[in-house]
Amino acid sequence: KTEGRSAQRERPTRIVSLLPSATEMVCAVGAAEDLVGVSHECDFPESIVGRPILTSSRVSVTGTSGEIDRDVRELLRTVLTVYDVDVETLRAVDPEVIVTQDLCDVCAVSLSDVEAALRSIARSDVEIVSLKPGRLDDVIEDVRRVGVALGRADEADAAIVDLRARLAALRERAEAIGNRPNVLTIEWIDPVMVGGTWMPELVEIAGGYALVTQPGDHAPTLDRAALAALDPAPDVVLVKPCGFKLERTEAELGDLRTLLDGLPWPALETGRVFLADGNAYFNRPGPRLVESAEILAACIHPPVFADLAAKHAASFHAW
């Protein structure tokens, strides 16, 4: 090993990622070939599809957002965990490093679940990298943490320079417009939950003013009365439920229309309500938050960001 700020650690060759965004980070720092196991939700980039799957969900993913919400709340009330770790497959892939999260027990396998699984196979020599991003800078710094743990600090630094440069360029374009519409982001339909954590920052970068939440806030739940009372009311609404691809959100559009019908929102009067892929974007705290900000910009300022609307045409549309 060498000394100095840019010194690289010895590179592990058997990496497990139990978080979709972490899998994207592992790939972003050039370690995709060393992934020996992933979660059941890891689906990007396509090159990692087919790796051994180490987790499963106790919640049926075929239900409506309301049914999923009720099932999750009941599971957390009774058994404390939503996911299971496949201990025997974990033993078989024999990891040196596991990347997981300690942010949300609903989003992915928790740190305590991973620690329990390692104890069950008597492994105390595995390095656990647990991510807990609450804001955009946390996400970007997690790329560095993953890179350092995988002996790829230089690659991580290069990836971070690129991410920050793209965000800065988008912010500069948005600031030149001169006006900021009020933006509401919805990350669950039944009940309605408003995007928190890094979402207000993405809205600001994309040229809007985020309603309800501040950077780092947890997602609050709003009923119809609270939605009707929003002041200012939203000029733009983006609906991107966590874990839902675009077609899943479209399937529940009728219920959402009924809930929002008649609210005194400029967004409803002008038709500036958009649906987006909440599985690939927005809710994954990884490199594709840059693309998420680009989609937001295309929704908030369509004439100015027509190029980004065309770039992401398959991932969002007006309702």
Side-chain angles (χ1 to χ4, degrees):
K1 297 181 180 179
T2 58
E3 301 296 331
R5 181 181 179 277
S6 62
Q8 296 272 25
R9 293 179 53 181
E10 183 177 345
R11 292 180 174 178
T13 59
R14 305 187 67 78
I15 303 163
V16 161
S17 170
L18 301 181
L19 188 65
S21 58
T23 295
E24 296 184 27
M25 291 181 188
V26 170
C27 295
V29 302
E33 292 186 359
D34 298 321
L35 272 170
V36 296
V38 295
S39 81
H40 64 289
E41 294 181 321
C42 293
D43 58 8
F44 187 87
E46 290 185 6
S47 60
I48 62 91
V49 176
R51 308 294 168 94
I53 294 175
L54 299 171
T55 65
S56 60
S57 174
R58 298 183 180 188
V59 175
S60 171
V61 296
T62 61
T64 66
S65 60
E67 291 167 344
I68 292 172
D69 180 75
R70 289 188 290 274
D71 288 349
V72 167
R73 292 177 188 273
E74 180 63 17
L75 273 174
L76 293 176
R77 186 184 70 81
T78 57
V79 298
L80 302 180
T81 183
V82 177
Y83 301 95
D84 290 317
V85 178
D86 186 335
V87 173
E88 290 310 312
T89 303
L90 182 64
R91 188 197 310 273
V93 300
D94 190 28
E96 297 171 80
V97 176
I98 296 176
V99 189
T100 185
Q101 60 94 40
D102 193 24
L103 174 66
C104 174
D105 289 339
V106 176
C107 298
V109 172
S110 68
L111 174 61
S112 59
D113 292 333
V114 176
E115 292 172 335
L118 288 174
R119 285 195 300 270
S120 71
I121 60 174
R123 288 291 301 274
S124 60
D125 59 334
V126 179
E127 180 177 0
I128 300 176
V129 181
S130 185
L131 310 179
K132 191 175 183 178
R135 299 186 59 165
L136 187 56
D137 275 346
D138 299 333
V139 177
I140 293 174
E141 285 305 309
D142 277 346
V143 175
R144 191 186 313 278
R145 291 183 59 208
V146 169
V148 169
L150 304 185
R152 296 174 180 269
D154 291 345
E155 292 89 335
D157 285 344
I160 288 171
V161 168
D162 177 67
L163 293 173
R164 289 195 182 279
R166 291 168 62 197
L167 288 170
L170 183 63
R171 183 194 298 272
E172 184 176 2
R173 288 182 65 182
E175 287 179 344
I177 298 170
N179 70 293
R180 290 186 173 274
N182 299 307
V183 180
L184 183 72
T185 65
I186 296 177
E187 69 175 42
W188 199 248
I189 294 176
D190 183 13
V192 169
M193 298 180 185
V194 176
T197 55
W198 47 84
M199 282 304 304
E201 294 171 281
L202 295 186
V203 170
E204 187 270 335
I205 289 170
Y209 174 77
L211 298 179
V212 180
T213 58
Q214 297 295 318
D217 286 353
H218 292 294
T221 299
L222 272 62
D223 60 16
R224 179 178 165 84
L227 293 168
L230 289 179
D231 185 17
D235 302 303
V236 179
V237 176
L238 179 65
V239 184
K240 38 83 183 181
C242 184
F244 277 25
K245 296 181 180 180
L246 200 50
E247 55 269 25
R248 282 291 304 277
T249 300
E250 291 167 345
E252 296 196 34
L253 191 54
D255 292 338
L256 183 61
R257 284 183 181 275
T258 298
L259 176 68
L260 301 184
D261 183 51
L263 295 185
W265 289 359
L268 294 171
E269 296 171 3
T270 60
R272 298 183 68 187
V273 179
F274 298 89
L275 314 179
D277 185 338
N279 180 59
Y281 305 106
F282 302 104
N283 304 299
R284 288 192 185 188
R288 286 194 291 173
L289 285 187
V290 176
E291 283 82 354
S292 303
E294 292 176 347
I295 293 171
L296 268 167
C299 296
I300 298 170
H301 298 288
V304 177
F305 293 107
D307 57 325
L308 298 182
K311 176 182 177 181
H312 298 293
S315 299
F316 83 104
H317 59 71
W319 77 344

